[in-house]
Amino acid sequence: MAKKGIVLMNLGSPDSTDVKDVKKYLNQFLMDERVIDKSYLARLLLVKGIIVPFRAPKSAEAYKTIWTKEGSPLVVLTKQLQSALQELVDTPIEIGMRYGNPTPKAAFDNLLKNSPDLEEVLAVPLYPHYAMSSYETAVEYTKEIHKENGYSFKLKFIKPFYNDVDYINALADRMRPYLDQEYDHILFSYHGVPGRHLMKTDKTGCHCLKVENCCEIASSAHAECYRHQCFETTRLVTEKLGVSKDKYSISFQSRLGKGWLEPFTDIRLEEMPKEGIKKLLILCPAFVSDCLETLEEIEERGRESFIEAGGEFYQMIPCINTIPSWVSTLKKWENEFVAGNDRMILKD
């Protein structure tokens, strides 16, 4: 049997809450052409001349509110996921971050150190939905690292799993205990992206945001459409849980500038109490691991906004993190990879 390995890939985090480390992380993150899709010179001026100098100190303070003694929650939770999965499978597992540490190269080198005859690696981007600024950049960057370093092993990727039945079951398992309490509404808050990103990933060139109700009309564009995939995840998990359509809605958080997907989470949190929604459940299915965007933006600032606007009860449902059914889902994908089943493998 071929010697195989797995790399769990996540977004990443600064090495510490020091401003210098946050600046380093933000520069790497925001200089990514798939995150800010402007020319190199425009990106350089915008990121290093305006955004990072002003944002880094504020981000450092935000990270301090969620930092643990073990480090960044996202990195810690990804390591915990690695450990939980490794207990169930023999295939060696490493983790690699798109930005920051540990890098994909470190992950590959560690796999080779323990398995010099490594023949095949499965990279698992921990992003359920396809987006230029998350899944796509993780895949393309990892391909570049693989090519630049001349690794002889084959590299494969798990495809976006937004509608995979096992992922949906895991998300439902995470949500189910919170539905036993009294609530008025569930808000699915997905990470925002600029609308132009949807049009750039639309291979048909004529569907996304160009056809009325584009996400509801069948199209090959949906394979890379973040907005459609967010809607599908929401539809599938609410149907699984028996949540009626009038009890939930979708919004998009973390916007940076104009032209981003709407409605905006921060605005909806201020509006909902005025609409009679006083008891709110909120979750962030774009993330599998809790991080700055869930713990600080939604759990802390989101709660404050909702309560100040007249809300009475606010509960953030954590990400799937390391719940057993999510670990079992990854185990199933590992078993299929080892067996040569390409059901969940991204096709070239």
Side-chain angles (χ1 to χ4, degrees):
M1 184 175 292
K3 296 288 186 179
K4 301 190 176 187
I6 291 176
V7 176
L8 300 179
M9 303 178 62
N10 219 327
L11 179 72
S13 182
D15 290 333
S16 78
T17 59
D18 290 343
V19 173
K20 64 177 179 61
D21 284 334
V22 175
K23 281 185 176 180
K24 180 180 178 181
Y25 173 77
L26 289 177
N27 276 317
Q28 185 184 9
F29 173 45
L30 297 174
M31 283 300 295
D32 183 345
E33 64 182 356
R34 288 183 172 84
V35 174
I36 297 182
D37 52 333
K38 297 182 180 293
S39 68
Y40 177 78
L41 182 57
R43 200 163 64 247
L44 185 68
L45 293 173
L46 181 63
V47 172
K48 299 198 175 184
I50 300 175
I51 298 178
V52 171
F54 289 97
R55 188 173 175 180
K58 294 180 180 179
S59 293
E61 290 302 313
Y63 274 111
K64 287 178 182 178
T65 68
I66 67 164
W67 212 258
T68 71
K69 62 180 180 180
E70 292 86 9
S72 161
L74 181 140
V75 176
V76 171
L77 285 165
T78 307
K79 288 180 178 178
Q80 290 174 355
L81 183 63
Q82 173 195 15
S83 297
L85 180 59
Q86 193 68 82
E87 290 181 3
L88 302 179
V89 303
D90 294 328
T91 305
I93 304 166
E94 294 290 337
I95 67 171
M97 301 294 165
R98 172 59 183 91
Y99 314 103
N101 295 303
T103 65
K105 183 179 185 303
F108 291 156
D109 291 345
N110 285 338
L111 286 175
L112 282 168
K113 181 178 179 181
N114 295 312
S115 302
D117 52 351
L118 188 68
E119 296 178 11
E120 197 170 39
V121 170
L122 177 66
V124 184
L126 295 173
Y127 308 101
H129 314 90
Y130 190 102
M132 279 178 54
S133 54
S134 58
Y135 183 91
E136 183 180 299
T137 188
V139 169
E140 295 305 320
Y141 178 69
T142 306
K143 285 181 179 178
E144 290 174 11
I145 296 299
H146 180 262
K147 182 178 180 180
E148 288 174 0
N149 289 275
Y151 294 116
S152 60
F153 57 80
K154 294 180 181 179
L155 180 63
K156 294 183 176 181
F157 294 88
I158 285 287
K159 66 184 181 181
F161 47 89
Y162 68 98
N163 61 352
D164 177 72
V165 64
D166 297 299
Y167 162 69
I168 295 298
N169 287 338
L171 185 57
D173 286 347
R174 171 54 96 188
M175 294 177 64
R176 192 172 287 110
Y178 295 89
L179 304 186
D180 292 336
Q181 56 199 323
E182 185 180 350
Y183 66 91
D184 296 326
H185 198 78
I186 304 172
L187 183 62
F188 288 79
S189 177
Y190 290 90
H191 198 287
V193 299
R196 65 180 182 274
H197 281 199
L198 302 187
M199 292 185 280
K200 284 187 174 183
T201 56
D202 178 2
K203 293 180 180 178
T204 72
C206 60
H207 186 79
C208 292
L209 302 184
K210 295 181 179 180
V211 174
E212 187 175 356
N213 298 322
C214 55
C215 288
E216 299 173 12
I217 299 173
S219 171
S220 59
H222 291 169
E224 288 88 25
C225 180
Y226 178 74
R227 185 168 176 262
H228 165 78
Q229 294 180 7
C230 291
F231 287 172
E232 273 297 281
T233 293
T234 305
R235 180 185 68 82
L236 291 168
V237 76
T238 52
E239 287 181 357
K240 176 75 177 178
L241 293 168
V243 178
S244 60
K245 292 183 179 180
D246 63 327
K247 294 288 284 186
Y248 71 86
S249 59
I250 292 172
S251 63
F252 297 92
Q253 65 184 83
S254 311
R255 57 188 164 117
L256 289 172
K258 298 179 180 179
W260 285 54
L261 297 184
E262 297 185 34
F264 301 133
T265 297
D266 57 342
I267 300 299
R268 289 301 295 139
L269 291 177
E270 295 175 354
E271 293 174 339
M272 283 181 166
K274 300 177 180 66
E275 299 168 0
I277 297 173
K278 302 289 187 177
K279 300 177 180 179
L280 183 69
L281 301 179
I282 184 169
L283 69 156
C284 306
F287 306 94
V288 302
S289 306
D290 278 306
C291 55
L292 185 72
E293 286 82 358
T294 66
L295 299 173
E296 193 272 337
E297 181 179 357
I298 298 301
E299 172 64 22
E300 294 182 6
R301 287 192 282 128
R303 176 189 301 278
E304 183 179 351
S305 295
F306 183 74
I307 298 301
E308 285 185 355
E312 299 171 358
F313 172 81
Y314 181 96
Q315 174 67 64
M316 188 192 82
I317 300 174
C319 294
I320 52 178
N321 292 326
T322 59
I323 65 170
S325 52
W326 172 227
V327 178
S328 295
T329 295
L330 291 171
K331 177 188 175 185
K332 182 176 181 179
W333 296 347
E334 182 274 345
N335 289 343
E336 292 177 346
F337 169 60
V338 170
N341 184 337
D342 65 355
R343 178 183 69 92
M344 290 299 296
I345 304 298
L346 180 68
K347 303 298 188 295
D348 293 332

